[in-house]
Amino acid sequence: MTAPPGKAPSDAPPTATAPEAIKAIPVRHYGRYVSAVVVIGLLLLIVKAFAEADLTWGSVGEFFFNDQIMEGVKNTLVVSVLSMLMGLVLGIVLAVMRMSKNPVTNSVAWGYIWFFRGTPVYVQLLLWFNLALIFPTLNLGPIYKDEMTDVMTPFMAALLGLGLNEAAYMAEICRAGIQSVDEGQTEASQALGMTNAQNMRRIVLPQAMRVIVPPTGNEFINLLKTSALCAVVQYEEVLRKSQNIGNTSSAVVEMLFVATLWFLVITTVFSIGQYYLERHYARGSSRQLPATPWQRARQLVFTFRRGTGAGSGAGGGAA
Amino acid sequence: MNAMVKAEAVHKSFGPVEVLKGIDLEVAPREVFCIVGPSGSGKSTFLRCINHLEKINAGRLYVDGTLVGYREHGNKLYELRDREVAAQRRDIGMVFQRFNLFPHMTAVENVMEAPVLVKGETKAKAQKSARALLDRVGLGEKCDSYPAQLSGGQQQRVAIARALAMEPKLMLFDEPTSALDPELVGEVLDVMRDLAQDGMTMVVVTHEMGFAREVGDSLVFMDDGVVVESGNPRDVLNNPQHERTKSFLSKVL
């Protein structure tokens, strides 16, 4: 069945030390050709539909860097980053409370997570925004007193709504990360005379990060997208800004495309950052760190120049 | 001479299960003290009580004349704070069955971590002595490798160097060769033999009867939470007196 095509091997010199490399005719996968054609055909249909649609593609480009839109992008980034920071700090505190032996702190943390994970962010945002209806003044005793409507600006409502909700999720992620570290690690550091705080900071957390970072990156990207809901509390993030322009210029869908593209740009940038962060915390857990895209590109060029099909197996060493 | 480790009627229970049922023993300074026995006999638990990784329920345990984990005042016992327990443990090195190296640090970082963090040594000084220690256990070449890049025997030797970096007066070994491939056991035992010759006080929980016989100064056989038999390793291993010891040794030798 696998008779070599072409010349018989007998006219090779008899000093055959290694057997001849196999040159078999590969199996043809006709199904792959068919499915590729079908998928490309469907894609072309979609492209055709959009090309023929009643859309002014020019306005997408025209408004992409519009001042109002840029303001909206900035606001989206500000509220997302700040609520993520809030979620992270509060989440770590809640995770520590949740793991403590004190039944009071433990159950308070449990209750917090239960409430904020169990209700929609949309409802939470509306609750914060309308807080002035039930508490007309914010009275913190001798420290602070003000009208609630002055305190609960759209920005504050957005920040509290997103940040407090995020904290509940981050708490669970941090707890899972810390608990994923082998108990032997803590025993070893205790046996060396480290205190609990030193053990947490130097031994447990750096290892927990490997488990914490990937879902946290996902959380952040989710949060970026969820921030579009802040339009409901009058917060001028990129979607609301786009809709403002869309409603006045009758380029409704075009402006939605602008918002869509901006979200794609932001999430792509942060995904790349996440890749490098994960790589950093993978130190010591795998024998060879995965190559960065840059290293892979260089390696590819290098293999082409040498003209050997070395494949993409070996990665570039540690940076 | 003061005993390095002194146990008086040490009891330990995990919930309703009594693991140690009154252990009395003394380890002299510069002695290699071996503990053997079937699994579940409480030997590892006893070892972990010596540096207070486990709290004892009754009895007294002294290391170098100091009560472990408690302060006795009048006739009351006070639990020590986290920080005080940590200070007691600085002088007691421990080597685990599963190595427990810090995977996110290289070999030399593993060894220098505690001297820098706990004793406040400068990084330069700690690194110099860490490299010397790794050299001593035969791993001078592997200083910059991560634990995942080392064999089991090499990892355990790094773990020994890590414990030695704190300049302990007592070393505890919890079945240090049980997780190793048979051909890697020798390299770890060699390091321990050198350590014994240098006069380190060592308490070794082990299944390596050859090591116990050759290097050990004393040996106890534990079963079901009590010391069944004790004495010179050669006497106990060659000529056991109790039925339980005889049947155990006939299975492992």
Side-chain angles (χ1 to χ4, degrees):
Chain A
M1 179 81 202
T2 51
K7 289 171 192 170
S10 56
D11 50 12
T15 57
T17 45
E20 194 190 350
I22 292 174
K23 287 182 204 141
I25 293 156
V27 176
R28 302 279 178 219
H29 298 277
Y30 297 106
R32 292 184 191 169
Y33 292 106
V34 176
S35 53
V37 168
V38 170
V39 169
I40 290 173
L42 286 173
L43 274 179
L44 283 175
L45 282 178
I46 294 173
V47 171
K48 181 168 174 287
F50 272 92
E52 289 170 358
D54 186 10
L55 270 171
T56 327
W57 285 105
S59 14
V60 176
E62 187 187 330
F63 283 101
F64 197 69
F65 292 110
N66 175 286
D67 285 348
Q68 286 295 302
I69 297 291
M70 295 311 284
E71 175 82 18
V73 170
K74 194 199 84 189
N75 285 343
T76 293
L77 283 174
V78 166
V79 81
S80 304
V81 170
L82 288 182
S83 26
M84 191 69 205
L85 283 177
M86 189 173 171
L88 200 63
V89 173
L90 199 55
I92 291 172
V93 173
L94 283 166
V96 171
M97 284 171 72
R98 191 86 174 77
M99 287 185 295
S100 88
K101 291 190 185 102
N102 183 336
V104 176
T105 55
N106 188 325
S107 17
V108 166
W110 182 89
Y112 181 99
I113 294 166
W114 170 76
F115 179 82
F116 282 93
R117 277 208 313 187
T119 50
V121 199
Y122 191 77
V123 177
Q124 287 173 28
L125 283 166
L126 287 173
L127 278 174
W128 287 113
F129 191 57
N130 293 309
L131 211 60
L133 297 179
I134 51 169
F135 303 116
T137 53
L138 177 64
N139 190 348
L140 298 179
I143 317 165
Y144 187 84
K145 187 173 178 178
D146 205 349
E147 294 294 308
M148 185 61 91
T149 42
D150 294 339
V151 182
M152 201 51 71
T153 57
F155 171 72
M156 276 308 280
L159 180 66
L160 287 173
L162 294 181
L164 295 183
N165 181 69
E166 191 54 43
Y169 288 92
M170 285 311 301
E172 290 297 89
I173 290 174
C174 292
R175 187 168 69 101
I178 290 169
Q179 286 178 342
S180 76
V181 178
D182 180 28
E183 262 182 72
Q185 294 291 307
T186 299
E187 286 180 359
S189 55
Q190 283 177 338
L192 286 165
M194 293 188 205
T195 60
N196 285 343
Q198 288 171 331
N199 167 49
M200 189 52 92
R201 183 167 57 85
R202 295 286 303 173
I203 308 301
V204 175
L205 277 183
Q207 293 181 62
M209 287 308 274
R210 200 165 61 81
V211 177
I212 293 175
V213 166
T216 303
N218 293 342
E219 280 298 316
F220 183 65
I221 283 166
N222 253 328
L223 184 65
L224 265 167
K225 295 183 292 175
T226 310
S227 72
L229 286 180
C230 297
V232 78
V233 293
Q234 320 288 325
Y235 185 65
E236 304 261 309
E237 45 69 61
V238 68
L239 175 66
R240 194 177 168 85
K241 289 285 193 189
S242 309
Q243 284 180 314
N244 286 348
I245 301 176
N247 293 340
T248 50
S249 66
S250 79
V252 178
V253 178
E254 287 83 346
M255 292 318 295
L256 287 179
F257 280 177
V258 169
T260 307
L261 286 174
W262 268 114
F263 275 115
L264 276 177
V265 168
I266 299 171
T267 50
T268 307
V269 168
F270 280 105
S271 303
I272 294 170
Q274 187 188 354
Y275 179 85
Y276 281 93
L277 203 60
E278 281 177 27
R279 195 171 172 278
H280 173 78
Y281 283 109
R283 253 177 330 161
S285 64
S286 54
R287 288 169 199 224
Q288 188 108 54
L289 284 178
T292 63
W294 173 239
Q295 286 170 338
R296 251 180 285 165
R298 274 197 356 193
Q299 199 190 348
L300 200 65
V301 173
F302 191 58
T303 14
F304 269 126
R305 261 195 224 143
R306 279 193 311 187
T308 55
S312 56
Chain B
M1 191 149 52
N2 233 342
M4 182 58 84
V5 179
K6 189 173 174 196
E8 294 172 352
V10 169
H11 283 73
K12 168 72 188 171
S13 306
F14 290 109
V17 185
E18 197 172 26
V19 185
L20 300 177
K21 301 171 181 170
I23 304 285
D24 293 275
L25 53 80
E26 279 194 28
V27 179
R30 304 173 70 84
E31 188 179 31
V32 177
F33 191 98
C34 298
I35 305 177
V36 299
S39 52
S41 60
K43 53 195 193 314
S44 284
T45 305
F46 176 71
L47 197 73
R48 292 158 58 83
C49 289
I50 297 178
N51 67 353
H52 207 53
L53 283 179
E54 305 287 356
K55 281 183 191 175
I56 62 176
N57 300 111
R60 294 285 189 276
L61 195 50
Y62 300 90
V63 169
D64 206 12
T66 316
L67 193 59
V68 174
Y70 301 92
R71 190 183 323 110
E72 202 161 18
H73 201 71
N75 47 8
K76 277 193 183 140
L77 276 187
Y78 297 87
E79 257 186 37
L80 292 184
R81 297 186 168 278
D82 173 36
R83 192 169 288 279
E84 296 165 319
V85 175
Q88 282 193 337
R89 287 182 181 134
R90 284 184 206 180
D91 297 333
I92 308 171
M94 186 159 189
V95 174
F96 299 86
Q97 182 179 356
R98 309 233 23 110
F99 328 137
N100 294 354
L101 289 181
F102 306 134
H104 57 304
M105 299 179 183
T106 61
V108 70
E109 284 169 349
N110 262 280
V111 179
M112 59 189 277
E113 180 68 17
V116 171
L117 204 62
V118 179
K119 286 209 286 194
E121 278 182 19
T122 63
K123 278 199 174 166
K125 180 169 177 272
Q127 192 178 48
K128 204 169 153 229
S129 32
R131 285 185 188 276
L133 274 170
L134 284 170
D135 217 33
R136 181 173 160 195
V137 297
L139 291 172
E141 317 261 282
K142 296 287 184 183
C143 282
D144 300 313
S145 302
Y146 284 97
Q149 295 164 327
L150 299 174
S151 74
Q154 290 171 334
Q155 288 190 52
Q156 194 60 299
R157 286 187 281 155
V158 175
I160 294 173
R162 179 176 69 173
L164 290 177
M166 291 298 286
E167 295 169 327
K169 55 190 176 194
L170 168 67
M171 284 282 283
L172 309 175
F173 291 86
D174 187 2
E175 302 194 24
T177 56
S178 298
L180 297 176
D181 287 347
E183 58 175 344
L184 301 178
V185 168
E187 62 190 58
V188 172
L189 292 183
D190 285 344
V191 170
M192 291 169 63
R193 198 171 286 125
D194 286 349
L195 208 54
Q197 266 154 21
D198 288 352
M200 174 64 76
T201 314
M202 295 160 65
V203 181
V204 185
V205 171
T206 187
H207 292 299
E208 296 294 330
M209 299 305 160
F211 175 84
R213 188 174 324 193
E214 183 200 335
V215 184
D217 298 307
S218 313
L219 179 139
V220 295
F221 172 74
M222 275 178 71
D223 187 31
D224 200 23
V226 292
V227 172
V228 176
E229 192 163 352
S230 62
N232 182 293
R234 282 158 291 276
D235 296 344
V236 178
L237 294 176
N238 296 343
N239 192 12
Q241 299 300 311
H242 286 73
E243 277 310 311
R244 188 67 192 91
T245 320
K246 281 178 193 164
S247 79
F248 174 74
L249 290 176
S250 70
K251 281 175 202 147
V252 295
L253 285 178

